[in-house]
Amino acid sequence: MNNLLWLIRASRWARNPPSARMVKLVLAIVALGLVLLGLEHFGLWPDWATLDRPRGMPRIRP
């Protein structure tokens, strides 16, 4: 049943495609995300932008 919903969505999208401006916006957001991922992967992410302790992790007290 889920495939049928995706086919309906695809047919609507084919009849009424997004504007060029919207496509450029989505591609720019994806590119920005990939740049941030690359910075983090290569160790260029600044220390001030890193969390000391991730959310949900209990604080360890000595």
Side-chain angles (χ1 to χ4, degrees), residues 4-23:
L4 182 60
L5 294 175
W6 279 106
L7 285 174
I8 292 171
R9 183 178 292 186
S11 70
R12 287 183 189 164
W13 192 60
R15 288 185 205 129
N16 203 4
S19 65
R21 184 178 179 200
M22 184 62 70
V23 172

Side-chain angles (χ1 to χ4, degrees), residues 9-37:
R9 183 178 292 186
S11 70
R12 287 183 189 164
W13 192 60
R15 288 185 205 129
N16 203 4
S19 65
R21 184 178 179 200
M22 184 62 70
V23 172
K24 288 178 186 178
L25 176 67
V26 169
L27 290 177
I29 292 171
V30 169
L32 180 64
L34 290 174
V35 166
L36 292 175
L37 185 67

Side-chain angles (χ1 to χ4, degrees), residues 25-61:
L25 176 67
V26 169
L27 290 177
I29 292 171
V30 169
L32 180 64
L34 290 174
V35 166
L36 292 175
L37 185 67
L39 286 174
E40 185 178 3
H41 177 73
F42 291 115
L44 300 174
W45 189 254
D47 287 336
W48 60 264
T50 304
L51 290 175
D52 291 337
R53 138 180 94 87
R55 290 179 68 172
M57 296 290 292
R59 179 176 285 184
I60 299 171
R61 297 182 185 194

